[in-house]
Amino acid sequence: VQLQASGGGLVQAGGSLRLSCVVSGRIFVINATGWYRQTPGKQRELVADISRGGRTNYVDSVKGRFTISLDNAKNTVYLQMNSLKPEDTAVYYCNARLKRASYEYEYEYWGQGTLVTVSS
C-alpha cells in the first residue's frame, strides 16, 4: 500500500491550496483517511479526517477554512485549504486506516509529507 501526497507549495496569506493523496496497492476497504501536519519541534497534529461514510472531523483552528473530502472510486482524499494563514505553514501528511483483505486487521499507513508554506 502506498499513499502519494501532492499539492503543497508556497502561497500568500489568504490564498488557497488543494492537497491530494492517492491511496494505491492492495486495498479491500479504506475505513478512514486524514491529514496531519507537523512543524519543527512540535508533535504531528491531526488537521482533519473523514470516515468511509463521510463523517468529518477538524481541528478547531481550521474549521470553516479547510474542507476534507474522499473520492472512494479513486481512493483519493483531498484537503481544500482556503484563507490560509502563516500559522498553517507545516509539512502535511496523509494517513489512511484500511484493510487489505476482509480477513485482515485494519492497519494505518502514512504518505510522504508535502510542504505548505504560507507567507505573510
Side-chain angles (χ1 to χ4, degrees):
V1 174
Q2 291 186 327
L3 277 67
Q4 182 67 45
S6 62
L10 173 64
V11 65
Q12 288 188 332
S16 298
L17 283 174
R18 189 175 83 152
L19 306 183
S20 300
C21 178
V22 179
V23 185
S24 62
R26 183 184 172 200
I27 301 167
F28 173 69
V29 65
I30 299 174
N31 289 325
T33 60
W35 290 94
Y36 290 70
R37 65 187 179 187
Q38 189 171 24
T39 54
K42 292 188 176 182
Q43 286 189 333
R44 191 173 297 185
E45 69 165 353
L46 173 68
V47 177
D49 61 16
I50 183 168
S51 69
R52 182 161 57 98
R55 186 173 62 185
T56 59
N57 176 51
Y58 297 91
V59 66
D60 285 346
S61 60
V62 308
K63 286 181 180 178
R65 299 188 298 122
F66 291 10
T67 302
I68 189 170
S69 59
L70 175 62
D71 186 331
N72 285 301
K74 296 181 179 180
N75 288 338
T76 301
V77 59
Y78 304 96
L79 185 68
Q80 178 66 43
M81 305 185 294
N82 298 328
S83 302
L84 282 160
K85 303 176 181 180
E87 51 264 43
D88 295 318
T89 296
V91 177
Y92 284 71
Y93 298 89
C94 59
N95 167 282
R97 299 195 300 276
L98 61 89
K99 297 176 67 173
R100 296 182 305 171
S102 60
Y103 51 84
E104 289 192 2
Y105 289 110
E106 177 185 278
Y107 289 98
E108 185 174 49
Y109 296 87
W110 292 91
Q112 91 290 1
T114 184
L115 178 62
V116 172
T117 304
V118 184
S119 63
S120 57

